[in-house]
Coordinates of all heavy atoms in Angstrom, one line a residue:
M1 N 0.9 -1.2 0.0 CA 0.0 0.0 0.0 C 0.8 1.3 0.0 O 0.4 2.3 -0.3 CB -0.9 0.0 1.2 CG -2.2 0.5 1.2 SD -3.2 0.2 -0.2 CE -4.7 -0.4 0.5
S2 N 2.1 1.1 0.4 CA 3.0 2.3 0.5 C 3.7 2.5 -0.8 O 4.9 2.7 -0.8 CB 3.9 2.2 1.7 OG 4.7 1.0 1.5
S3 N 3.0 2.4 -1.9 CA 3.7 2.7 -3.2 C 4.1 4.1 -3.3 O 3.5 5.0 -2.7 CB 2.7 2.3 -4.3 OG 1.7 3.3 -4.5
A4 N 5.1 4.4 -4.1 CA 5.7 5.7 -4.3 C 4.7 6.7 -4.8 O 4.5 7.8 -4.4 CB 6.9 5.7 -5.1
S5 N 3.8 6.1 -5.7 CA 2.9 7.0 -6.4 C 1.8 7.5 -5.4 O 1.5 8.7 -5.4 CB 2.1 6.2 -7.5 OG 1.4 5.1 -6.9
S6 N 1.4 6.8 -4.4 CA 0.4 7.2 -3.5 C 1.0 8.1 -2.4 O 0.4 9.1 -1.9 CB -0.4 6.1 -2.8 OG 0.6 5.3 -2.2
E7 N 2.3 7.9 -2.1 CA 2.9 8.8 -1.1 C 3.3 10.1 -1.7 O 3.3 11.2 -1.0 CB 4.2 8.1 -0.6 CG 3.9 7.1 0.6 CD 5.1 6.3 0.9 OE1 6.2 6.6 0.5 OE2 4.9 5.3 1.6
M8 N 3.6 10.2 -3.0 CA 4.1 11.4 -3.5 C 2.9 12.3 -3.9 O 3.0 13.5 -3.9 CB 4.9 11.1 -4.8 CG 6.3 10.8 -4.5 SD 7.2 9.9 -5.8 CE 6.9 10.9 -7.2
S9 N 1.7 11.7 -4.1 CA 0.6 12.5 -4.6 C 0.0 13.2 -3.4 O 0.1 12.7 -2.3 CB -0.4 11.7 -5.3 OG -1.0 10.7 -4.4
S10 N -0.6 14.3 -3.6 CA -1.2 15.1 -2.5 C -2.6 14.6 -2.2 O -3.3 15.0 -1.1 CB -1.3 16.6 -2.8 OG -2.0 16.8 -4.1
Q11 N -3.2 13.9 -3.1 CA -4.6 13.4 -2.9 C -4.6 12.3 -1.9 O -3.7 11.5 -1.7 CB -5.2 12.9 -4.3 CG -4.6 11.7 -4.7 CD -4.9 11.3 -6.2 OE1 -5.7 12.1 -6.7 NE2 -4.4 10.3 -6.7
P12 N -5.8 12.2 -1.1 CA -5.9 11.1 -0.2 C -6.0 9.8 -0.9 O -6.3 9.7 -2.1 CB -7.3 11.4 0.5 CG -8.0 12.3 -0.4 CD -7.0 13.1 -1.2
L13 N -5.7 8.7 -0.2 CA -5.7 7.4 -0.8 C -7.2 7.0 -1.0 O -7.5 6.5 -2.1 CB -5.1 6.3 0.2 CG -5.0 4.9 -0.2 CD1 -4.0 4.8 -1.4 CD2 -4.6 4.0 0.9
L14 N -8.1 7.4 -0.1 CA -9.5 7.1 -0.3 C -10.3 8.3 0.1 O -10.1 8.9 1.1 CB -9.9 5.9 0.7 CG -11.3 5.4 0.6 CD1 -11.6 4.7 -0.7 CD2 -11.6 4.5 1.8
R15 N -11.2 8.6 -0.8 CA -12.1 9.8 -0.5 C -13.5 9.3 -0.9 O -13.8 8.9 -2.0 CB -11.7 10.9 -1.4 CG -12.6 12.2 -1.2 CD -12.0 13.4 -1.7 NE -11.5 13.4 -3.1 CZ -12.2 13.7 -4.2 NH1 -13.4 14.2 -4.0 NH2 -11.7 13.6 -5.4
V16 N -14.3 9.3 0.2 CA -15.8 8.9 0.0 C -16.6 10.1 0.3 O -16.5 10.8 1.3 CB -16.1 7.8 1.1 CG1 -17.5 7.4 1.0 CG2 -15.2 6.6 0.9
E17 N -17.5 10.3 -0.6 CA -18.4 11.5 -0.5 C -19.9 11.2 -0.7 O -20.2 10.6 -1.7 CB -18.0 12.6 -1.5 CG -16.7 13.3 -1.2 CD -16.2 14.2 -2.3 OE1 -16.8 14.2 -3.3 OE2 -15.3 14.9 -2.1
G18 N -20.6 11.5 0.3 CA -22.1 11.3 0.3 C -22.5 9.9 -0.1 O -23.5 9.7 -0.8
L19 N -21.8 8.9 0.5 CA -22.1 7.5 0.1 C -23.5 7.2 0.7 O -23.8 7.5 1.9 CB -21.0 6.6 0.8 CG -21.1 5.1 0.4 CD1 -20.8 4.9 -1.1 CD2 -20.1 4.3 1.2
R20 N -24.3 6.4 -0.1 CA -25.6 6.1 0.2 C -25.9 4.7 -0.2 O -25.7 4.4 -1.4 CB -26.6 7.1 -0.5 CG -28.0 7.1 0.1 CD -28.8 8.2 -0.5 NE -29.2 7.8 -1.9 CZ -29.1 8.6 -2.9 NH1 -28.6 9.8 -2.9 NH2 -29.5 8.1 -4.1
T21 N -26.3 3.9 0.7 CA -26.8 2.6 0.3 C -28.1 2.2 1.0 O -28.1 2.1 2.3 CB -25.7 1.4 0.7 OG1 -24.5 1.8 0.1 CG2 -26.1 0.1 0.3
W22 N -29.1 2.2 0.2 CA -30.5 1.9 0.8 C -30.9 0.5 0.3 O -30.7 0.1 -0.8 CB -31.5 2.9 0.3 CG -31.3 4.3 0.7 CD1 -30.3 4.8 1.5 CD2 -32.2 5.4 0.5 NE1 -30.5 6.1 1.7 CE2 -31.7 6.5 1.2 CE3 -33.4 5.5 -0.1 CZ2 -32.3 7.8 1.1 CZ3 -34.0 6.7 -0.1 CH2 -33.5 7.8 0.5
F23 N -31.5 -0.3 1.3 CA -32.0 -1.6 0.9 C -33.5 -1.5 0.8 O -34.2 -1.0 1.7 CB -31.6 -2.6 2.0 CG -30.2 -2.9 2.2 CD1 -29.5 -2.4 3.3 CD2 -29.4 -3.6 1.2 CE1 -28.1 -2.6 3.4 CE2 -28.1 -3.8 1.4 CZ -27.4 -3.3 2.5
P24 N -34.1 -2.0 -0.3 CA -35.5 -2.0 -0.5 C -36.2 -2.9 0.5 O -35.7 -4.0 0.7 CB -35.7 -2.4 -2.0 CG -34.5 -3.2 -2.3 CD -33.4 -2.6 -1.5
I25 N -37.3 -2.5 0.9 CA -38.2 -3.4 1.8 C -39.3 -3.8 0.8 O -40.1 -3.0 0.3 CB -38.8 -2.6 3.0 CG1 -37.6 -2.1 3.8 CG2 -39.7 -3.5 3.8 CD1 -38.1 -1.0 4.8
K26 N -39.4 -5.1 0.6 CA -40.5 -5.6 -0.4 C -41.5 -6.4 0.4 O -41.2 -7.1 1.3 CB -39.8 -6.5 -1.4 CG -38.8 -5.7 -2.3 CD -38.1 -6.6 -3.3 CE -37.0 -5.9 -4.0 NZ -37.4 -5.2 -5.2
K27 N -42.8 -6.2 0.0 CA -43.9 -6.8 0.7 C -44.9 -7.3 -0.4 O -45.0 -6.9 -1.5 CB -44.6 -5.8 1.6 CG -43.8 -5.5 2.9 CD -44.7 -5.3 4.1 CE -43.9 -5.3 5.3 NZ -44.1 -4.1 6.1
G28 N -45.7 -8.3 0.1 CA -46.8 -8.8 -0.7 C -46.3 -9.9 -1.7 O -45.2 -10.1 -1.9
I29 N -47.3 -10.4 -2.4 CA -47.1 -11.5 -3.4 C -46.2 -10.9 -4.5 O -45.3 -11.6 -5.1 CB -48.4 -12.0 -4.0 CG1 -49.3 -12.4 -2.8 CG2 -48.1 -13.3 -4.9 CD1 -50.8 -12.7 -3.3
L30 N -46.5 -9.7 -4.9 CA -45.8 -9.1 -6.0 C -44.4 -8.5 -5.6 O -43.7 -7.9 -6.4 CB -46.6 -7.9 -6.7 CG -48.0 -8.4 -7.3 CD1 -48.7 -7.2 -7.8 CD2 -47.7 -9.5 -8.3
R31 N -44.1 -8.7 -4.3 CA -42.8 -8.2 -3.7 C -42.6 -6.7 -4.1 O -41.5 -6.3 -4.6 CB -41.6 -9.0 -4.2 CG -41.8 -10.5 -4.1 CD -42.0 -10.9 -2.6 NE -40.9 -10.6 -1.7 CZ -41.0 -10.5 -0.4 NH1 -42.2 -10.6 0.1 NH2 -39.9 -10.3 0.3
R32 N -43.6 -5.9 -3.9 CA -43.5 -4.5 -4.2 C -42.7 -3.8 -3.2 O -42.7 -4.1 -2.0 CB -44.8 -3.8 -4.3 CG -45.6 -4.2 -5.6 CD -46.6 -3.2 -6.0 NE -47.4 -2.8 -4.8 CZ -48.5 -2.0 -4.9 NH1 -48.8 -1.6 -6.0 NH2 -49.1 -1.7 -3.8
T33 N -41.8 -2.8 -3.6 CA -41.0 -2.0 -2.7 C -41.9 -1.0 -2.0 O -42.6 -0.2 -2.6 CB -39.9 -1.3 -3.5 OG1 -39.1 -2.2 -4.2 CG2 -39.0 -0.4 -2.6
V34 N -42.0 -1.2 -0.7 CA -42.8 -0.3 0.1 C -42.0 0.7 1.0 O -42.6 1.5 1.6 CB -43.7 -1.2 1.1 CG1 -44.7 -2.0 0.2 CG2 -42.9 -2.0 2.0
G35 N -40.7 0.5 0.9 CA -39.9 1.5 1.6 C -38.4 1.1 1.5 O -38.1 0.2 0.8
H36 N -37.6 1.8 2.3 CA -36.1 1.4 2.2 C -35.5 1.5 3.6 O -35.9 2.3 4.4 CB -35.4 2.4 1.3 CG -35.7 2.3 -0.1 ND1 -36.7 2.9 -0.7 CD2 -35.1 1.6 -1.1 CE1 -36.8 2.6 -2.0 NE2 -35.8 1.8 -2.3
V37 N -34.6 0.6 3.9 CA -33.7 0.7 5.1 C -32.6 1.6 4.6 O -31.7 1.2 3.7 CB -33.2 -0.7 5.5 CG1 -32.2 -0.6 6.6 CG2 -34.3 -1.6 5.9
R38 N -32.5 2.7 5.2 CA -31.4 3.6 4.9 C -30.1 3.3 5.7 O -29.7 4.0 6.6 CB -31.8 5.1 5.2 CG -33.1 5.4 4.4 CD -33.5 6.9 4.6 NE -34.7 7.2 3.9 CZ -35.1 8.5 3.8 NH1 -34.5 9.5 4.3 NH2 -36.3 8.7 3.1
A39 N -29.5 2.2 5.3 CA -28.4 1.7 6.0 C -27.2 2.6 6.0 O -26.5 2.8 7.1 CB -27.9 0.3 5.5
V40 N -26.9 3.2 4.9 CA -25.8 4.2 4.8 C -26.5 5.4 4.1 O -27.1 5.3 3.0 CB -24.7 3.7 4.0 CG1 -23.6 4.7 3.7 CG2 -24.0 2.4 4.7
D41 N -26.4 6.6 4.6 CA -27.1 7.7 4.1 C -26.3 9.0 4.2 O -26.5 9.8 5.1 CB -28.4 7.8 4.8 CG -29.4 8.7 4.1 OD1 -29.3 8.8 2.8 OD2 -30.3 9.2 4.7
G42 N -25.3 9.2 3.3 CA -24.6 10.4 3.3 C -23.3 10.3 4.1 O -23.0 11.2 5.0
V43 N -22.4 9.4 3.8 CA -21.2 9.1 4.6 C -20.0 9.8 3.8 O -19.9 9.5 2.7 CB -20.9 7.6 4.9 CG1 -19.5 7.4 5.4 CG2 -21.9 7.1 5.8
D44 N -19.3 10.6 4.5 CA -18.1 11.2 4.0 C -16.9 10.6 4.7 O -16.9 10.5 6.0 CB -18.1 12.8 4.1 CG -19.2 13.4 3.4 OD1 -19.6 12.9 2.4 OD2 -19.7 14.4 3.9
L45 N -15.8 10.3 4.0 CA -14.6 9.7 4.6 C -13.4 10.1 3.9 O -13.4 10.0 2.6 CB -14.9 8.2 4.6 CG -14.2 7.3 5.6 CD1 -15.2 6.1 5.8 CD2 -12.9 6.8 5.1
L46 N -12.4 10.4 4.6 CA -11.1 10.7 4.0 C -10.0 9.9 4.7 O -9.9 9.9 5.8 CB -10.8 12.2 4.2 CG -10.1 13.0 3.1 CD1 -11.0 13.0 1.9 CD2 -9.9 14.5 3.6
L47 N -9.3 9.1 3.8 CA -8.2 8.3 4.4 C -6.9 8.6 3.7 O -6.8 8.4 2.5 CB -8.6 6.8 4.2 CG -7.6 5.8 4.7 CD1 -7.3 6.0 6.2 CD2 -8.1 4.4 4.5
E48 N -5.9 9.1 4.5 CA -4.6 9.5 3.9 C -3.7 8.2 3.8 O -3.9 7.3 4.6 CB -3.9 10.5 4.8 CG -4.6 11.8 5.0 CD -4.8 12.6 3.7 OE1 -4.0 12.4 2.8 OE2 -5.7 13.5 3.6
S49 N -2.9 8.2 2.8 CA -2.0 7.1 2.7 C -1.1 6.9 3.9 O -0.6 7.9 4.5 CB -1.0 7.3 1.5 OG -0.2 6.3 1.3
G50 N -1.0 5.6 4.4 CA -0.2 5.4 5.6 C -0.9 5.6 6.9 O -0.3 5.4 8.0
K51 N -2.1 6.1 6.9 CA -2.9 6.4 8.1 C -3.9 5.3 8.3 O -4.3 4.6 7.4 CB -3.5 7.7 8.0 CG -2.5 8.9 7.9 CD -1.9 9.2 9.3 CE -0.7 10.1 9.2 NZ -1.1 11.5 8.8
T52 N -4.5 5.2 9.5 CA -5.5 4.3 9.8 C -6.8 5.1 10.2 O -6.7 6.0 10.9 CB -5.1 3.4 11.0 OG1 -3.9 2.7 10.6 CG2 -6.1 2.3 11.3
T53 N -7.9 4.6 9.7 CA -9.2 5.2 10.2 C -10.0 4.0 10.8 O -10.1 3.0 10.2 CB -9.9 5.8 9.0 OG1 -9.1 7.0 8.5 CG2 -11.3 6.3 9.4
A54 N -10.6 4.3 11.9 CA -11.5 3.4 12.5 C -12.9 3.8 12.4 O -13.3 5.0 12.5 CB -11.2 3.2 14.0
L55 N -13.8 2.9 12.0 CA -15.2 3.2 11.9 C -15.9 2.5 13.1 O -15.9 1.3 13.3 CB -15.7 2.5 10.6 CG -17.0 3.1 10.0 CD1 -16.9 4.6 9.7 CD2 -17.2 2.3 8.6
V56 N -16.5 3.4 14.0 CA -17.0 3.0 15.2 C -18.5 3.3 15.4 O -18.8 4.4 15.0 CB -16.2 3.6 16.4 CG1 -16.7 3.1 17.8 CG2 -14.7 3.2 16.3
G57 N -19.3 2.4 15.9 CA -20.7 2.8 16.1 C -21.4 1.6 16.6 O -21.0 0.5 16.6
E58 N -22.7 1.8 17.0 CA -23.5 0.8 17.6 C -23.8 -0.3 16.5 O -23.8 0.1 15.4 CB -24.8 1.4 18.3 CG -25.7 2.0 17.3 CD -26.8 2.8 17.9 OE1 -26.5 3.8 18.5 OE2 -27.9 2.2 17.8
S59 N -24.2 -1.4 17.0 CA -24.6 -2.5 16.1 C -25.8 -2.1 15.2 O -26.8 -1.5 15.7 CB -25.0 -3.7 17.0 OG -25.4 -4.8 16.1
G60 N -25.6 -2.3 13.9 CA -26.6 -2.0 13.0 C -26.6 -0.5 12.4 O -27.5 -0.1 11.7
C61 N -25.6 0.2 12.8 CA -25.5 1.6 12.3 C -25.0 1.7 10.9 O -25.0 2.8 10.3 CB -24.7 2.5 13.3 SG -22.9 2.2 13.2
G62 N -24.4 0.6 10.4 CA -24.0 0.6 9.0 C -22.5 0.5 8.7 O -22.2 0.7 7.5
K63 N -21.7 0.1 9.7 CA -20.3 0.0 9.4 C -19.9 -1.0 8.3 O -19.2 -0.7 7.4 CB -19.6 -0.4 10.8 CG -19.9 0.5 11.9 CD -19.2 0.0 13.2 CE -19.7 -1.3 13.6 NZ -21.2 -1.3 14.1
T64 N -20.5 -2.2 8.4 CA -20.2 -3.2 7.4 C -20.7 -2.8 6.0 O -20.0 -3.0 5.0 CB -20.9 -4.6 7.8 OG1 -20.2 -5.0 9.0 CG2 -20.7 -5.7 6.8
T65 N -21.9 -2.2 6.0 CA -22.4 -1.8 4.7 C -21.5 -0.7 4.1 O -21.4 -0.6 2.9 CB -23.9 -1.3 4.9 OG1 -24.6 -2.4 5.6 CG2 -24.5 -1.0 3.6
V66 N -21.0 0.2 4.9 CA -20.0 1.2 4.4 C -18.9 0.5 3.7 O -18.5 0.8 2.5 CB -19.5 2.1 5.5 CG1 -18.3 2.9 5.0 CG2 -20.6 3.1 5.9
G67 N -18.3 -0.4 4.4 CA -17.1 -1.2 3.9 C -17.5 -1.9 2.6 O -16.7 -1.8 1.6
R68 N -18.5 -2.6 2.6 CA -18.9 -3.4 1.4 C -19.3 -2.5 0.2 O -19.0 -2.8 -0.9 CB -20.1 -4.3 1.8 CG -19.7 -5.4 2.8 CD -20.8 -6.3 3.2 NE -21.4 -7.1 2.1 CZ -20.9 -8.3 1.8 NH1 -20.0 -8.9 2.4 NH2 -21.4 -9.0 0.7
S69 N -19.9 -1.4 0.6 CA -20.2 -0.4 -0.5 C -19.0 0.2 -1.1 O -19.0 0.4 -2.4 CB -21.1 0.7 0.1 OG -22.3 0.1 0.6
I70 N -18.0 0.6 -0.3 CA -16.7 1.1 -0.9 C -16.1 0.1 -1.8 O -15.6 0.5 -2.9 CB -15.8 1.5 0.3 CG1 -16.3 2.7 1.1 CG2 -14.4 1.8 -0.2 CD1 -15.5 3.0 2.4
L71 N -16.2 -1.2 -1.5 CA -15.6 -2.2 -2.3 C -16.5 -2.6 -3.5 O -16.1 -3.4 -4.3 CB -15.3 -3.4 -1.4 CG -14.2 -3.3 -0.4 CD1 -14.1 -4.5 0.5 CD2 -12.8 -3.0 -1.1
R72 N -17.7 -2.1 -3.5 CA -18.8 -2.5 -4.4 C -19.2 -4.0 -4.3 O -19.5 -4.6 -5.4 CB -18.3 -2.1 -5.8 CG -18.5 -0.6 -6.1 CD -18.1 -0.2 -7.5 NE -19.2 -0.5 -8.5 CZ -19.2 -0.2 -9.7 NH1 -18.1 0.5 -10.2 NH2 -20.1 -0.5 -10.5
L73 N -19.0 -4.5 -3.1 CA -19.6 -5.8 -2.9 C -21.1 -5.6 -2.8 O -21.9 -6.7 -3.0 CB -19.0 -6.5 -1.6 CG -17.5 -6.8 -1.7 CD1 -17.0 -7.2 -0.4 CD2 -17.3 -7.9 -2.8
I74 N -21.5 -4.5 -2.4 CA -22.9 -4.1 -2.5 C -22.8 -2.8 -3.3 O -22.0 -2.0 -3.1 CB -23.5 -3.7 -1.1 CG1 -23.4 -4.8 -0.2 CG2 -24.9 -3.1 -1.3 CD1 -23.8 -4.5 1.3
E75 N -23.7 -2.7 -4.3 CA -23.7 -1.6 -5.2 C -24.4 -0.3 -4.4 O -25.5 -0.5 -4.0 CB -24.5 -1.8 -6.5 CG -24.1 -1.0 -7.6 CD -22.7 -1.0 -8.0 OE1 -22.0 -2.1 -7.9 OE2 -22.1 0.1 -8.3
P76 N -23.6 0.7 -4.2 CA -24.2 1.9 -3.5 C -25.3 2.5 -4.3 O -25.4 2.4 -5.5 CB -23.0 2.8 -3.3 CG -21.8 2.0 -3.6 CD -22.2 0.9 -4.5
S77 N -26.2 3.1 -3.5 CA -27.4 3.8 -4.2 C -26.9 5.2 -4.7 O -27.5 5.7 -5.6 CB -28.5 4.0 -3.3 OG -28.7 2.8 -2.5
G78 N -25.9 5.7 -4.1 CA -25.4 7.0 -4.5 C -24.1 7.4 -3.8 O -23.6 6.7 -3.0
G79 N -23.6 8.6 -4.2 CA -22.3 9.1 -3.6 C -21.2 8.7 -4.6 O -21.4 8.2 -5.7
S80 N -20.0 9.0 -4.1 CA -18.8 8.7 -4.8 C -17.6 8.2 -4.0 O -17.6 8.5 -2.8 CB -18.3 10.0 -5.6 OG -18.3 11.1 -4.8
V81 N -16.9 7.3 -4.6 CA -15.7 6.7 -3.9 C -14.5 6.8 -4.9 O -14.5 6.3 -5.9 CB -16.0 5.2 -3.7 CG1 -14.7 4.5 -3.1 CG2 -17.2 5.0 -2.8
F82 N -13.5 7.6 -4.4 CA -12.3 7.8 -5.2 C -11.1 7.0 -4.5 O -10.9 7.3 -3.3 CB -12.0 9.2 -5.3 CG -12.9 10.0 -6.2 CD1 -14.0 10.6 -5.6 CD2 -12.8 10.1 -7.5 CE1 -14.9 11.3 -6.4 CE2 -13.6 10.8 -8.4 CZ -14.7 11.4 -7.7
F83 N -10.5 6.1 -5.2 CA -9.3 5.4 -4.7 C -8.1 5.9 -5.5 O -8.1 5.7 -6.7 CB -9.5 3.9 -4.7 CG -8.3 3.1 -4.2 CD1 -8.2 3.0 -2.8 CD2 -7.4 2.5 -5.0 CE1 -7.1 2.3 -2.3 CE2 -6.4 1.9 -4.5 CZ -6.2 1.7 -3.1
N84 N -7.2 6.6 -4.8 CA -6.1 7.1 -5.5 C -6.6 8.1 -6.7 O -6.0 8.1 -7.7 CB -5.1 6.0 -6.1 CG -3.9 5.9 -5.3 OD1 -3.6 6.7 -4.5 ND2 -3.1 4.9 -5.7
G85 N -7.6 8.7 -6.4 CA -8.1 9.7 -7.4 C -9.0 9.0 -8.5 O -9.6 9.7 -9.3
Q86 N -9.1 7.7 -8.4 CA -9.9 7.0 -9.4 C -11.3 6.8 -9.0 O -11.4 6.2 -7.8 CB -9.2 5.6 -9.7 CG -9.7 5.0 -10.9 CD -8.9 3.7 -11.3 OE1 -8.0 3.4 -10.6 NE2 -9.2 3.1 -12.4
D87 N -12.3 7.1 -9.8 CA -13.7 7.0 -9.4 C -14.1 5.6 -9.5 O -14.4 5.0 -10.6 CB -14.5 7.9 -10.3 CG -16.0 7.9 -9.9 OD1 -16.4 7.2 -9.0 OD2 -16.7 8.8 -10.4
L88 N -14.2 4.8 -8.4 CA -14.5 3.4 -8.4 C -15.9 3.1 -8.9 O -16.2 2.1 -9.5 CB -14.3 2.8 -7.0 CG -12.9 2.7 -6.4 CD1 -12.8 1.8 -5.2 CD2 -11.9 2.3 -7.4
L89 N -16.8 4.1 -8.5 CA -18.2 3.8 -8.9 C -18.5 4.0 -10.4 O -19.5 3.6 -10.9 CB -19.2 4.6 -8.1 CG -19.0 4.5 -6.6 CD1 -20.1 5.2 -5.8 CD2 -19.1 3.0 -6.2
A90 N -17.5 4.6 -11.0 CA -17.6 4.8 -12.5 C -17.0 3.7 -13.3 O -17.2 3.6 -14.5 CB -17.0 6.2 -12.9
L91 N -16.3 2.8 -12.6 CA -15.7 1.7 -13.3 C -16.8 0.8 -13.8 O -17.7 0.4 -13.0 CB -14.8 0.9 -12.4 CG -13.4 1.6 -12.0 CD1 -12.7 0.7 -10.9 CD2 -12.6 1.8 -13.1
N92 N -16.7 0.3 -15.1 CA -17.7 -0.7 -15.5 C -17.2 -2.1 -15.2 O -16.0 -2.3 -14.8 CB -18.0 -0.5 -17.0 CG -16.7 -0.6 -17.9 OD1 -16.0 -1.6 -17.6 ND2 -16.6 0.3 -18.8
P93 N -18.1 -3.1 -15.3 CA -17.7 -4.4 -14.8 C -16.5 -5.0 -15.6 O -15.8 -5.9 -15.0 CB -19.0 -5.3 -15.1 CG -20.1 -4.3 -15.1 CD -19.4 -3.0 -15.6
G94 N -16.2 -4.5 -16.7 CA -15.1 -5.0 -17.5 C -13.8 -4.4 -17.1 O -12.7 -4.8 -17.7
A95 N -13.8 -3.4 -16.3 CA -12.5 -2.7 -15.9 C -11.6 -3.7 -15.3 O -12.0 -4.5 -14.3 CB -12.8 -1.6 -15.0
E96 N -10.3 -3.7 -15.7 CA -9.4 -4.8 -15.3 C -8.6 -4.4 -14.0 O -8.3 -5.2 -13.2 CB -8.5 -5.1 -16.4 CG -9.2 -5.9 -17.5 CD -8.3 -6.3 -18.6 OE1 -7.1 -6.0 -18.6 OE2 -8.8 -6.9 -19.6
T97 N -8.1 -3.2 -14.0 CA -7.2 -2.8 -12.9 C -7.6 -1.4 -12.3 O -8.2 -0.6 -12.8 CB -5.8 -2.6 -13.4 OG1 -5.8 -1.6 -14.4 CG2 -5.2 -3.9 -13.9
V98 N -7.2 -1.4 -11.0 CA -7.3 -0.2 -10.2 C -5.8 0.2 -10.0 O -5.1 -0.5 -9.5 CB -8.0 -0.3 -8.9 CG1 -8.0 0.9 -8.1 CG2 -9.5 -0.7 -9.2
T99 N -5.5 1.5 -10.4 CA -4.1 1.9 -10.3 C -3.8 2.2 -8.8 O -4.5 3.0 -8.2 CB -3.9 3.2 -11.1 OG1 -4.4 2.9 -12.4 CG2 -2.4 3.5 -11.2
V100 N -2.7 1.6 -8.3 CA -2.3 1.9 -6.9 C -1.0 2.6 -6.9 O -0.2 2.3 -7.7 CB -2.2 0.6 -6.1 CG1 -1.8 0.8 -4.6 CG2 -3.5 -0.2 -6.1
Ligands
LIG201 N1 -28.7 -7.1 2.7 C1 -29.4 -6.3 3.5 N2 -30.7 -6.2 3.3 C2 -31.5 -5.3 4.1 N3 -31.0 -4.7 5.2 C3 -29.7 -4.8 5.4 C4 -28.8 -5.7 4.6 N4 -27.6 -5.6 5.2 C5 -27.7 -4.8 6.2 N5 -29.0 -4.4 6.4 C6 -29.4 -3.4 7.5 O1 -28.6 -2.2 7.3 C7 -28.4 -1.7 8.6 C8 -26.8 -1.7 8.8 O2 -26.3 -2.9 8.9 P1 -24.8 -3.2 9.1 O3 -24.6 -4.7 9.0 O4 -24.0 -2.4 8.0 O5 -24.4 -2.6 10.5 P2 -23.1 -2.8 11.4 O6 -22.8 -1.4 11.9 O7 -22.0 -3.5 10.6 O8 -23.6 -3.7 12.6 P3 -22.7 -4.7 13.5 O9 -21.9 -3.8 14.5 O10 -23.7 -5.5 14.2 O11 -21.8 -5.5 12.6 C9 -29.0 -2.7 9.6 O12 -30.3 -2.1 9.9 C10 -29.2 -3.9 8.9 O13 -30.3 -4.7 9.3
LIG202 MG1 -20.9 -5.2 10.9

């Protein structure tokens, strides 16, 4: 993680802005969406290269969902995630590499 490129650049390693992940609540035989669990709703985060950030909060406040959304293991509903200046949410499924 301590590559020369990330240490020399002035940009943060990770920049998260307005991250939002809502889970639909579906009901009835037709499984219609009747509402949303707003698990993550407007999270900003800045992580400098070589630094550690802890995400702390009560059970169910959305810590795991934040992590999974940053990695796109869950597709976020909105916001932006920049890793080394690269917009991860703009990458299409065929994108092969993330520059570190
Ligand atoms: N796949 C899902 N579908 C619907 N709701 C979900 C899903 N995953 C998480 N949630 C809900 O989103 C909210 C945040 O959950 P999350 O697991 O991110 O919390 P957490 O802070 O990691 O909790 P813990 O400290 O217990 O690990 C909770 O209300 C949870 O029930
Ligand atoms: Mg968790």
Side-chain angles (χ1 to χ4, degrees):
M1 216 36 132
S2 59
S3 74
S5 62
S6 58
E7 278 171 11
M8 278 158 55
S9 65
S10 57
Q11 70 192 358
L13 186 64
L14 180 70
R15 178 161 55 92
V16 175
E17 287 175 348
L19 189 65
R20 198 174 74 227
T21 303
W22 292 8
F23 295 108
I25 301 165
K26 296 179 188 273
K27 285 215 171 123
I29 309 169
L30 298 177
R31 309 303 295 158
R32 285 202 317 186
T33 300
V34 296
H36 289 87
V37 175
R38 300 182 183 191
V40 176
D41 199 24
V43 168
D44 300 326
L45 206 149
L46 218 59
L47 181 58
E48 302 292 341
S49 181
K51 299 283 169 68
T52 303
T53 294
L55 203 52
V56 181
E58 66 189 72
S59 180
C61 74
K63 304 177 297 291
T64 294
T65 307
V66 165
R68 292 175 68 86
S69 300
I70 289 171
L71 295 170
R72 285 182 76 178
L73 294 173
I74 301 169
E75 202 59 39
S77 317
S80 44
V81 177
F82 291 91
F83 182 76
N84 254 351
Q86 191 170 7
D87 186 352
L88 295 191
L89 302 189
L91 292 175
N92 59 45
E96 288 180 5
T97 56
V98 173
T99 313
V100 181

